C-alpha cells in the first residue's frame, strides 16, 4: 500500500478556504487572488454547483460584465455572502491598510489603494482576511492608515465585517464584540510560539488549539484535477504548481 500523498502549503490554504465557504450562496473573489479563487472553485465543486462563484478577471468563472459595479450592487442588496480582503498592514482590531505606510499623505511606501474595500467590509457578512505572509511587518499593533475599519461605533448600519483571518501560519476567528483575533488552528509545521513571535499584537489562544487539518486524498485529487484546470484559465502559472 502506498503512503498518502502530502499536501503543499498552498493546497492547505486552498482547502481551508473551501471549507470556510460551505453554506454560502454567492462568493466574489477579487482580482489577483489565485488562492482565494481556487478555494471558491473548490467550494463550488463540493456544493454540486449550488454555490455561485464570480472570480473577477476570469472569463469562464465570472458572470459579471462590469465586475466592480455589479459586486457593489449585489453586496448592497445582501446578495454576496463572502469576499476576501488583504492589506499591507492589518492590526489587532482588524483595521486594514491598503494605502501605504510611513505617514499619509507623504507615505514612505505606497500600495495600490483601497478601491471598494471599506464599502464591502461594511456589507458582506463573511469577510475573510487573507494574507499569506505572516510577519510583524504585516500584523502591526495599529495600522498607519485605515483603508477599511474592522469595527464601527454602536448604531452604525453594518451587516458585514471581519469573520476569519487566514495566513501562512494559522487560521483565526475575529471576535467582533471584543474586537480581537482568536486563534482557531495552527498549520502543520508551525507553532503557537511562532505565531506569537511573528504577530505585532496579542492573539488570544484558547486551551487545546490544534493543527489545521490537512486536505484528504479526495480533496487533493479534486485540487490537482478539476480545480487546477479551472483556476488555470485565469492564473496558469499558479495552477502549474499543483502536482
Amino acid at each position: 500500500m502506498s503512503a498518502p500523498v502530502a499536501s503543499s502549503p498552498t493546497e492547505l490554504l486552498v482547502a481551508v478556504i473551501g471549507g470556510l465557504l460551505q453554506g454560502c450562496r454567492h462568493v466574489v473573489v477579487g482580482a489577483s487572488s489565485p488562492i482565494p479563487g481556487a478555494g471558491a472553485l473548490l467550494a463550488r465543486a463540493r456544493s454540486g454547483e449550488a454555490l455561485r462563484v464570480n472570480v473577477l478577471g476570469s472569463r469562464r468563472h465570472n458572470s459579471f460584465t462590469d465586475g466592480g459595479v455589479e459586486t457593489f450592487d449585489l453586496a448592497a442588496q445582501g446578495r454576496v455572502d463572502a469576499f476576501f480582503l488583504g492589506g499591507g498592514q492589518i492590526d489587532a482590531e482588524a483595521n486594514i491598510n491598503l494605502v501605504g505606510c510611513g505617514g499619509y499623505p507623504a507615505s514612505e511606501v505606497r500600495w495600490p489603494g483601497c478601491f471598494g474595500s471599506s464599502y464591502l467590509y461594511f456589507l458582506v457578512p463573511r469577510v475573510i482576511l487573507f494574507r499569506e505572509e505572516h510577519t510583524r511587518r504585516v500584523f502591526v499593533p495599529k495600522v498607519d492608515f485605515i483603508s477599511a475599519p474592522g469595527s464601527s461605533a454602536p448604531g452604525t448600519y453594518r451587516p458585514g465585517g471581519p469573520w476569519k483571518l487566514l495566513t501562512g501560519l494559522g487560521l483565526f476567528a475575529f471576535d467582533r464584540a471584543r474586537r480581537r483575533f482568536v486563534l482557531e488552528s495552527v498549520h502543520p509545521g508551525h507553532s503557537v510560539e511562532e505565531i506569537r513571535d511573528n504577530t505585532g499584537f496579542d492573539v488570544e489562544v484558547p486551551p487545546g488549539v490544534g493543527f489545521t487539518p490537512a486536505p484528504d486524498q479526495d480533496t487533493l485529487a479534486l485540487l490537482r484535477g478539476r480545480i487546477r484546470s479551472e483556476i488555470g484559465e485565469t492564473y496558469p502559472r499558479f495552477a502549474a504548481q499543483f502536482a
Side-chain angles (χ1 to χ4, degrees):
M1 180 181 295
S2 60
V5 179
S7 62
S8 69
T10 297
E11 289 170 330
L12 176 69
L13 294 174
V14 172
V16 171
I17 289 171
L20 292 177
L21 297 178
Q22 289 183 358
C24 290
R25 300 161 301 167
H26 182 201
V27 176
V28 179
V29 181
S32 303
S33 302
I35 292 177
L41 295 173
L42 174 63
R44 183 177 70 180
R46 287 172 165 172
S47 75
E49 308 304 317
L51 172 64
R52 180 185 178 192
V53 172
N54 279 290
V55 178
L56 303 187
S58 171
R59 293 185 177 182
R60 289 177 51 201
H61 310 291
N62 180 15
S63 62
F64 294 159
T65 57
D66 189 339
V69 171
E70 288 166 274
T71 299
F72 299 156
D73 285 349
L74 290 171
Q77 297 167 32
R79 296 167 61 191
V80 177
D81 299 310
F83 191 78
F84 299 85
L85 288 175
Q89 293 178 329
I90 301 172
D91 69 21
E93 295 189 357
N95 299 308
I96 62 176
N97 177 6
L98 289 159
V99 170
C101 59
Y104 181 82
S107 304
E108 297 171 4
V109 176
R110 291 300 298 268
W111 297 314
C114 49
F115 192 48
S117 58
S118 183
Y119 178 85
L120 294 173
Y121 214 14
F122 271 68
L123 295 174
V124 179
R126 297 189 190 185
V127 174
I128 299 171
L129 300 176
F130 177 73
R131 186 63 198 263
E132 203 169 356
E133 177 186 342
H134 191 135
T135 64
R136 288 177 177 262
R137 179 177 69 169
V138 174
F139 295 97
V140 297
K142 192 69 176 178
V143 295
D144 292 347
F145 182 90
I146 298 179
S147 300
S151 58
S152 302
T156 303
Y157 177 74
R158 186 169 187 172
W163 180 53
K164 303 287 183 179
L165 165 66
L166 179 63
T167 77
L169 298 184
L171 173 65
F172 308 77
F174 186 71
D175 187 325
R176 295 186 189 180
R178 297 188 296 147
R179 301 185 182 185
R180 66 179 302 162
F181 288 104
V182 180
L183 182 63
E184 286 197 348
S185 66
V186 181
H187 298 335
H190 301 285
S191 66
V192 171
E193 291 72 22
E194 183 181 4
I195 288 174
R196 282 176 165 152
D197 288 345
N198 287 279
T199 308
F201 51 82
D202 290 335
V203 173
E204 183 174 330
V205 181
V209 168
F211 287 105
T212 307
D216 59 27
Q217 297 304 299
D218 290 342
T219 300
L220 285 176
L222 195 55
L223 288 174
R224 296 171 184 181
R226 172 177 170 173
I227 306 307
R228 175 182 178 176
S229 174
E230 290 182 344
I231 199 66
E233 178 262 344
T234 314
Y235 301 108
R237 293 181 62 183
F238 169 77
Q241 69 183 280
F242 290 102

Short mmCIF file of all heavy atoms in Angstrom, two decimals, residues 71-126:
data_model
loop_
_atom_site.label_atom_id
_atom_site.label_comp_id
_atom_site.label_asym_id
_atom_site.label_seq_id
_atom_site.Cartn_x
_atom_site.Cartn_y
_atom_site.Cartn_z
N THR A 71 -20.49 43.87 -8.29
CA THR A 71 -20.17 43.41 -6.94
C THR A 71 -20.74 44.35 -5.90
O THR A 71 -21.36 43.92 -4.92
CB THR A 71 -18.64 43.30 -6.75
OG1 THR A 71 -18.11 42.35 -7.68
CG2 THR A 71 -18.30 42.85 -5.33
N PHE A 72 -20.56 45.65 -6.11
CA PHE A 72 -21.06 46.64 -5.14
C PHE A 72 -22.59 46.62 -5.07
O PHE A 72 -23.17 46.68 -3.98
CB PHE A 72 -20.58 48.04 -5.52
CG PHE A 72 -19.09 48.20 -5.54
CD1 PHE A 72 -18.49 49.19 -6.30
CD2 PHE A 72 -18.27 47.35 -4.81
CE1 PHE A 72 -17.12 49.34 -6.33
CE2 PHE A 72 -16.89 47.48 -4.83
CZ PHE A 72 -16.32 48.48 -5.59
N ASP A 73 -23.24 46.52 -6.22
CA ASP A 73 -24.70 46.49 -6.24
C ASP A 73 -25.24 45.27 -5.50
O ASP A 73 -26.16 45.38 -4.68
CB ASP A 73 -25.22 46.50 -7.68
CG ASP A 73 -25.10 47.86 -8.35
OD1 ASP A 73 -24.81 48.84 -7.63
OD2 ASP A 73 -25.30 47.95 -9.57
N LEU A 74 -24.68 44.11 -5.78
CA LEU A 74 -25.15 42.88 -5.15
C LEU A 74 -24.86 42.87 -3.65
O LEU A 74 -25.66 42.39 -2.85
CB LEU A 74 -24.53 41.67 -5.82
CG LEU A 74 -25.02 41.38 -7.24
CD1 LEU A 74 -24.18 40.28 -7.89
CD2 LEU A 74 -26.48 40.97 -7.23
N ALA A 75 -23.70 43.41 -3.27
CA ALA A 75 -23.37 43.48 -1.83
C ALA A 75 -24.38 44.36 -1.10
O ALA A 75 -24.81 44.04 0.01
CB ALA A 75 -21.95 44.02 -1.64
N ALA A 76 -24.77 45.48 -1.70
CA ALA A 76 -25.74 46.38 -1.08
C ALA A 76 -27.10 45.71 -0.94
O ALA A 76 -27.87 46.04 -0.03
CB ALA A 76 -25.86 47.66 -1.90
N GLN A 77 -27.40 44.76 -1.82
CA GLN A 77 -28.67 44.05 -1.76
C GLN A 77 -28.61 42.81 -0.86
O GLN A 77 -29.59 42.07 -0.75
CB GLN A 77 -29.07 43.61 -3.18
CG GLN A 77 -29.33 44.76 -4.14
CD GLN A 77 -29.42 44.29 -5.58
OE1 GLN A 77 -29.87 43.18 -5.86
NE2 GLN A 77 -28.98 45.13 -6.50
N GLY A 78 -27.46 42.56 -0.25
CA GLY A 78 -27.31 41.38 0.60
C GLY A 78 -27.15 40.10 -0.18
O GLY A 78 -27.46 39.01 0.33
N ARG A 79 -26.64 40.19 -1.41
CA ARG A 79 -26.56 39.02 -2.28
C ARG A 79 -25.12 38.56 -2.53
O ARG A 79 -24.86 37.78 -3.45
CB ARG A 79 -27.27 39.33 -3.60
CG ARG A 79 -28.77 39.57 -3.40
CD ARG A 79 -29.43 40.18 -4.62
NE ARG A 79 -29.32 39.33 -5.79
CZ ARG A 79 -29.63 39.72 -7.03
NH1 ARG A 79 -30.04 40.97 -7.23
NH2 ARG A 79 -29.53 38.89 -8.05
N VAL A 80 -24.20 39.00 -1.71
CA VAL A 80 -22.84 38.47 -1.70
C VAL A 80 -22.57 37.99 -0.28
O VAL A 80 -22.64 38.76 0.67
CB VAL A 80 -21.79 39.53 -2.10
CG1 VAL A 80 -20.38 38.95 -2.00
CG2 VAL A 80 -22.04 40.05 -3.51
N ASP A 81 -22.30 36.71 -0.13
CA ASP A 81 -22.13 36.12 1.20
C ASP A 81 -20.70 36.18 1.71
O ASP A 81 -20.48 36.21 2.92
CB ASP A 81 -22.60 34.66 1.19
CG ASP A 81 -24.06 34.52 0.82
OD1 ASP A 81 -24.88 35.23 1.42
OD2 ASP A 81 -24.38 33.72 -0.08
N ALA A 82 -19.73 36.15 0.81
CA ALA A 82 -18.33 36.13 1.24
C ALA A 82 -17.46 36.87 0.24
O ALA A 82 -17.71 36.85 -0.97
CB ALA A 82 -17.84 34.69 1.41
N PHE A 83 -16.44 37.51 0.78
CA PHE A 83 -15.47 38.25 -0.03
C PHE A 83 -14.14 38.18 0.71
O PHE A 83 -14.09 37.93 1.92
CB PHE A 83 -15.90 39.70 -0.23
CG PHE A 83 -15.11 40.45 -1.26
CD1 PHE A 83 -15.34 40.26 -2.61
CD2 PHE A 83 -14.12 41.36 -0.89
CE1 PHE A 83 -14.61 40.94 -3.57
CE2 PHE A 83 -13.38 42.05 -1.84
CZ PHE A 83 -13.63 41.84 -3.18
N PHE A 84 -13.05 38.43 0.00
CA PHE A 84 -11.71 38.36 0.58
C PHE A 84 -11.04 39.73 0.54
O PHE A 84 -11.09 40.42 -0.48
CB PHE A 84 -10.84 37.35 -0.19
CG PHE A 84 -11.38 35.95 -0.17
CD1 PHE A 84 -12.33 35.55 -1.09
CD2 PHE A 84 -10.96 35.05 0.79
CE1 PHE A 84 -12.86 34.27 -1.07
CE2 PHE A 84 -11.47 33.76 0.83
CZ PHE A 84 -12.42 33.37 -0.11
N LEU A 85 -10.43 40.10 1.65
CA LEU A 85 -9.65 41.33 1.71
C LEU A 85 -8.29 41.03 2.32
O LEU A 85 -8.15 40.13 3.16
CB LEU A 85 -10.37 42.38 2.57
CG LEU A 85 -11.63 43.04 1.98
CD1 LEU A 85 -12.26 43.97 3.01
CD2 LEU A 85 -11.31 43.80 0.70
N GLY A 86 -7.31 41.78 1.90
CA GLY A 86 -5.98 41.70 2.49
C GLY A 86 -5.53 43.09 2.87
O GLY A 86 -6.34 44.01 2.99
N GLY A 87 -4.23 43.26 3.03
CA GLY A 87 -3.72 44.58 3.37
C GLY A 87 -2.22 44.55 3.53
O GLY A 87 -1.64 43.53 3.91
N GLY A 88 -1.61 45.70 3.24
CA GLY A 88 -0.18 45.81 3.53
C GLY A 88 0.06 45.75 5.02
O GLY A 88 1.10 45.29 5.48
N GLN A 89 -0.93 46.25 5.79
CA GLN A 89 -0.92 46.14 7.24
C GLN A 89 -2.31 45.72 7.72
O GLN A 89 -3.33 46.13 7.15
CB GLN A 89 -0.58 47.48 7.89
CG GLN A 89 0.83 47.99 7.66
CD GLN A 89 1.04 49.35 8.31
OE1 GLN A 89 0.13 50.17 8.42
NE2 GLN A 89 2.28 49.60 8.75
N ILE A 90 -2.34 44.90 8.75
CA ILE A 90 -3.57 44.51 9.44
C ILE A 90 -3.27 44.61 10.92
O ILE A 90 -2.23 44.13 11.39
CB ILE A 90 -4.00 43.08 9.08
CG1 ILE A 90 -4.24 42.95 7.57
CG2 ILE A 90 -5.25 42.67 9.86
CD1 ILE A 90 -4.48 41.52 7.10
N ASP A 91 -4.18 45.25 11.68
CA ASP A 91 -3.86 45.44 13.09
C ASP A 91 -4.75 44.61 14.02
O ASP A 91 -5.57 43.79 13.56
CB ASP A 91 -3.86 46.92 13.48
CG ASP A 91 -5.23 47.58 13.47
OD1 ASP A 91 -6.26 46.88 13.55
OD2 ASP A 91 -5.28 48.84 13.40
N ALA A 92 -4.58 44.82 15.30
CA ALA A 92 -5.23 44.00 16.33
C ALA A 92 -6.75 44.07 16.27
O ALA A 92 -7.44 43.14 16.70
CB ALA A 92 -4.75 44.42 17.72
N GLU A 93 -7.30 45.18 15.74
CA GLU A 93 -8.75 45.34 15.68
C GLU A 93 -9.30 45.11 14.28
O GLU A 93 -10.41 45.51 13.95
CB GLU A 93 -9.14 46.73 16.18
CG GLU A 93 -8.82 46.94 17.65
CD GLU A 93 -9.39 48.22 18.22
OE1 GLU A 93 -10.00 49.00 17.44
OE2 GLU A 93 -9.24 48.45 19.42
N ALA A 94 -8.50 44.43 13.45
CA ALA A 94 -8.90 44.07 12.08
C ALA A 94 -9.06 45.27 11.16
O ALA A 94 -9.72 45.18 10.13
CB ALA A 94 -10.17 43.22 12.08
N ASN A 95 -8.44 46.40 11.51
CA ASN A 95 -8.34 47.50 10.56
C ASN A 95 -7.32 47.10 9.48
O ASN A 95 -6.30 46.46 9.79
CB ASN A 95 -7.86 48.78 11.24
CG ASN A 95 -8.80 49.25 12.32
OD1 ASN A 95 -10.00 49.39 12.10
ND2 ASN A 95 -8.27 49.47 13.51
N ILE A 96 -7.59 47.46 8.24
CA ILE A 96 -6.64 47.13 7.18
C ILE A 96 -6.15 48.40 6.50
O ILE A 96 -6.85 49.40 6.42
CB ILE A 96 -7.24 46.16 6.15
CG1 ILE A 96 -8.44 46.77 5.42
CG2 ILE A 96 -7.64 44.85 6.82
CD1 ILE A 96 -8.99 45.87 4.32
N ASN A 97 -4.91 48.34 6.03
CA ASN A 97 -4.25 49.46 5.37
C ASN A 97 -3.82 49.01 3.98
O ASN A 97 -2.96 48.14 3.84
CB ASN A 97 -3.05 49.92 6.19
CG ASN A 97 -2.27 51.06 5.52
OD1 ASN A 97 -2.68 51.59 4.50
ND2 ASN A 97 -1.15 51.42 6.12
N LEU A 98 -4.42 49.62 2.96
CA LEU A 98 -4.09 49.32 1.58
C LEU A 98 -3.47 50.53 0.87
O LEU A 98 -3.27 50.51 -0.33
CB LEU A 98 -5.35 48.88 0.82
CG LEU A 98 -5.90 47.51 1.20
CD1 LEU A 98 -7.36 47.40 0.81
CD2 LEU A 98 -5.09 46.41 0.54
N VAL A 99 -3.20 51.59 1.63
CA VAL A 99 -2.73 52.85 1.04
C VAL A 99 -1.21 52.98 1.11
O VAL A 99 -0.55 53.28 0.12
CB VAL A 99 -3.41 54.05 1.73
CG1 VAL A 99 -2.76 55.36 1.29
CG2 VAL A 99 -4.89 54.07 1.38
N GLY A 100 -0.63 52.78 2.27
CA GLY A 100 0.81 52.91 2.40
C GLY A 100 1.22 53.08 3.84
O GLY A 100 0.38 53.20 4.73
N CYS A 101 2.51 53.06 4.11
CA CYS A 101 2.98 53.20 5.48
C CYS A 101 4.05 54.28 5.55
O CYS A 101 4.70 54.61 4.56
CB CYS A 101 3.53 51.87 6.02
SG CYS A 101 4.90 51.18 5.09
N GLY A 102 4.19 54.83 6.75
CA GLY A 102 5.20 55.85 6.95
C GLY A 102 4.65 57.25 7.10
O GLY A 102 5.40 58.21 7.12
N GLY A 103 3.33 57.40 7.19
CA GLY A 103 2.75 58.72 7.40
C GLY A 103 2.06 59.30 6.18
O GLY A 103 2.71 59.95 5.35
N TYR A 104 0.78 59.07 6.05
CA TYR A 104 -0.01 59.60 4.93
C TYR A 104 -0.18 61.12 5.09
O TYR A 104 -0.31 61.61 6.20
CB TYR A 104 -1.39 58.93 4.93
CG TYR A 104 -2.29 59.37 3.81
CD1 TYR A 104 -2.17 58.80 2.55
CD2 TYR A 104 -3.23 60.37 4.02
CE1 TYR A 104 -2.99 59.22 1.51
CE2 TYR A 104 -4.06 60.79 2.97
CZ TYR A 104 -3.93 60.21 1.73
OH TYR A 104 -4.74 60.63 0.70
N PRO A 105 -0.11 61.93 4.02
CA PRO A 105 -0.03 61.53 2.61
C PRO A 105 1.38 61.36 2.08
O PRO A 105 1.57 60.87 0.97
CB PRO A 105 -0.72 62.69 1.89
CG PRO A 105 -0.38 63.89 2.72
CD PRO A 105 -0.38 63.39 4.15
N ALA A 106 2.38 61.74 2.85
CA ALA A 106 3.77 61.60 2.39
C ALA A 106 4.30 60.23 2.81
O ALA A 106 5.31 60.13 3.50
CB ALA A 106 4.64 62.72 2.97
N SER A 107 3.62 59.18 2.39
CA SER A 107 3.99 57.82 2.82
C SER A 107 5.31 57.39 2.20
O SER A 107 5.58 57.67 1.03
CB SER A 107 2.89 56.84 2.41
OG SER A 107 1.64 57.23 2.95
N GLU A 108 6.13 56.73 3.00
CA GLU A 108 7.40 56.23 2.50
C GLU A 108 7.17 55.09 1.52
O GLU A 108 7.94 54.90 0.57
CB GLU A 108 8.25 55.74 3.67
CG GLU A 108 8.62 56.83 4.67
CD GLU A 108 9.27 56.28 5.92
OE1 GLU A 108 9.50 55.06 5.97
OE2 GLU A 108 9.54 57.07 6.84
N VAL A 109 6.14 54.29 1.78
CA VAL A 109 5.79 53.17 0.90
C VAL A 109 4.34 53.34 0.49
O VAL A 109 3.47 53.58 1.34
CB VAL A 109 5.97 51.81 1.62
CG1 VAL A 109 5.51 50.67 0.74
CG2 VAL A 109 7.43 51.62 2.03
N ARG A 110 4.06 53.25 -0.81
CA ARG A 110 2.68 53.37 -1.29
C ARG A 110 2.23 52.05 -1.90
O ARG A 110 2.99 51.38 -2.61
CB ARG A 110 2.57 54.49 -2.33
CG ARG A 110 2.76 55.89 -1.77
CD ARG A 110 1.76 56.25 -0.71
NE ARG A 110 0.39 56.25 -1.20
CZ ARG A 110 -0.23 57.31 -1.68
NH1 ARG A 110 0.40 58.48 -1.75
NH2 ARG A 110 -1.48 57.24 -2.09
N TRP A 111 0.97 51.68 -1.62
CA TRP A 111 0.35 50.49 -2.18
C TRP A 111 -0.74 50.88 -3.16
O TRP A 111 -1.03 52.07 -3.32
CB TRP A 111 -0.18 49.61 -1.04
CG TRP A 111 0.92 49.12 -0.15
CD1 TRP A 111 2.11 48.58 -0.53
CD2 TRP A 111 0.95 49.14 1.28
NE1 TRP A 111 2.88 48.27 0.56
CE2 TRP A 111 2.19 48.61 1.70
CE3 TRP A 111 0.04 49.58 2.27
CZ2 TRP A 111 2.54 48.47 3.03
CZ3 TRP A 111 0.39 49.44 3.60
CH2 TRP A 111 1.62 48.89 3.98
N PRO A 112 -1.35 49.92 -3.84
CA PRO A 112 -2.30 50.27 -4.91
C PRO A 112 -3.50 51.10 -4.50
O PRO A 112 -4.07 51.83 -5.31
CB PRO A 112 -2.74 48.89 -5.44
CG PRO A 112 -1.62 47.98 -5.10
CD PRO A 112 -1.10 48.48 -3.79
N GLY A 113 -3.94 51.01 -3.25
CA GLY A 113 -5.11 51.76 -2.82
C GLY A 113 -6.25 50.85 -2.41
O GLY A 113 -6.18 49.63 -2.55
N CYS A 114 -7.31 51.45 -1.91
CA CYS A 114 -8.36 50.67 -1.24
C CYS A 114 -9.56 50.34 -2.12
O CYS A 114 -10.36 49.48 -1.77
CB CYS A 114 -8.84 51.38 0.02
SG CYS A 114 -9.26 53.11 -0.20
N PHE A 115 -9.73 51.03 -3.25
CA PHE A 115 -10.85 50.80 -4.15
C PHE A 115 -12.14 50.70 -3.35
O PHE A 115 -12.50 51.61 -2.64
CB PHE A 115 -10.60 49.55 -5.01
CG PHE A 115 -11.57 49.40 -6.16
CD1 PHE A 115 -11.83 50.47 -7.00
CD2 PHE A 115 -12.20 48.20 -6.41
CE1 PHE A 115 -12.71 50.36 -8.07
CE2 PHE A 115 -13.10 48.07 -7.47
CZ PHE A 115 -13.35 49.15 -8.29
N GLY A 116 -12.85 49.56 -3.36
CA GLY A 116 -14.12 49.44 -2.64
C GLY A 116 -14.02 48.63 -1.37
O GLY A 116 -15.03 48.12 -0.86
N SER A 117 -12.81 48.52 -0.80
CA SER A 117 -12.62 47.63 0.35
C SER A 117 -13.48 48.04 1.55
O SER A 117 -14.10 47.19 2.21
CB SER A 117 -11.15 47.57 0.75
OG SER A 117 -10.65 48.86 1.07
N SER A 118 -13.52 49.34 1.85
CA SER A 118 -14.29 49.78 3.01
C SER A 118 -15.78 49.53 2.81
O SER A 118 -16.48 49.07 3.72
CB SER A 118 -14.04 51.27 3.26
OG SER A 118 -14.71 51.70 4.42
N TYR A 119 -16.26 49.78 1.62
CA TYR A 119 -17.68 49.56 1.28
C TYR A 119 -18.04 48.08 1.49
O TYR A 119 -19.02 47.76 2.16
CB TYR A 119 -17.89 49.98 -0.16
CG TYR A 119 -19.28 49.79 -0.71
CD1 TYR A 119 -20.27 50.74 -0.52
CD2 TYR A 119 -19.59 48.65 -1.46
CE1 TYR A 119 -21.55 50.57 -1.06
CE2 TYR A 119 -20.85 48.48 -2.00
CZ TYR A 119 -21.83 49.43 -1.79
OH TYR A 119 -23.08 49.26 -2.32
N LEU A 120 -17.24 47.19 0.93
CA LEU A 120 -17.53 45.76 1.03
C LEU A 120 -17.33 45.25 2.46
O LEU A 120 -18.04 44.33 2.89
CB LEU A 120 -16.66 44.98 0.05
CG LEU A 120 -16.95 45.26 -1.43
CD1 LEU A 120 -15.92 44.59 -2.32
CD2 LEU A 120 -18.36 44.82 -1.80
N TYR A 121 -16.39 45.84 3.18
CA TYR A 121 -16.14 45.45 4.57
C TYR A 121 -17.38 45.69 5.44
O TYR A 121 -17.61 45.00 6.42
CB TYR A 121 -14.96 46.25 5.10
CG TYR A 121 -14.05 45.54 6.08
CD1 TYR A 121 -14.09 44.16 6.28
CD2 TYR A 121 -13.10 46.27 6.81
CE1 TYR A 121 -13.23 43.54 7.16
CE2 TYR A 121 -12.23 45.65 7.68
CZ TYR A 121 -12.30 44.28 7.86
OH TYR A 121 -11.44 43.66 8.74
N PHE A 122 -18.16 46.68 5.07
CA PHE A 122 -19.37 47.01 5.83
C PHE A 122 -20.56 46.13 5.46
O PHE A 122 -21.47 45.96 6.27
CB PHE A 122 -19.75 48.47 5.60
CG PHE A 122 -19.11 49.43 6.56
CD1 PHE A 122 -17.74 49.66 6.52
CD2 PHE A 122 -19.85 50.10 7.52
CE1 PHE A 122 -17.13 50.54 7.40
CE2 PHE A 122 -19.25 50.99 8.41
CZ PHE A 122 -17.89 51.21 8.35
N LEU A 123 -20.57 45.59 4.26
CA LEU A 123 -21.78 44.97 3.74
C LEU A 123 -21.75 43.45 3.62
O LEU A 123 -22.79 42.81 3.69
CB LEU A 123 -22.12 45.56 2.37
CG LEU A 123 -22.50 47.05 2.36
CD1 LEU A 123 -22.67 47.53 0.93
CD2 LEU A 123 -23.78 47.29 3.15
N VAL A 124 -20.58 42.87 3.40
CA VAL A 124 -20.51 41.42 3.18
C VAL A 124 -20.37 40.70 4.53
O VAL A 124 -19.46 40.99 5.30
CB VAL A 124 -19.32 41.08 2.27
CG1 VAL A 124 -19.22 39.56 2.07
CG2 VAL A 124 -19.46 41.78 0.92
N PRO A 125 -21.28 39.75 4.81
CA PRO A 125 -21.29 39.10 6.14
C PRO A 125 -20.01 38.34 6.48
O PRO A 125 -19.53 38.41 7.60
CB PRO A 125 -22.49 38.15 6.06
CG PRO A 125 -23.34 38.68 4.97
CD PRO A 125 -22.41 39.32 3.99
N ARG A 126 -19.48 37.61 5.51
CA ARG A 126 -18.28 36.81 5.76
C ARG A 126 -17.10 37.41 5.00
O ARG A 126 -16.79 36.99 3.89
CB ARG A 126 -18.47 35.35 5.32
CG ARG A 126 -19.55 34.58 6.04
CD ARG A 126 -19.46 33.11 5.65
NE ARG A 126 -20.61 32.34 6.12
CZ ARG A 126 -20.74 31.02 5.99
NH1 ARG A 126 -19.77 30.33 5.40
NH2 ARG A 126 -21.81 30.40 6.42
#
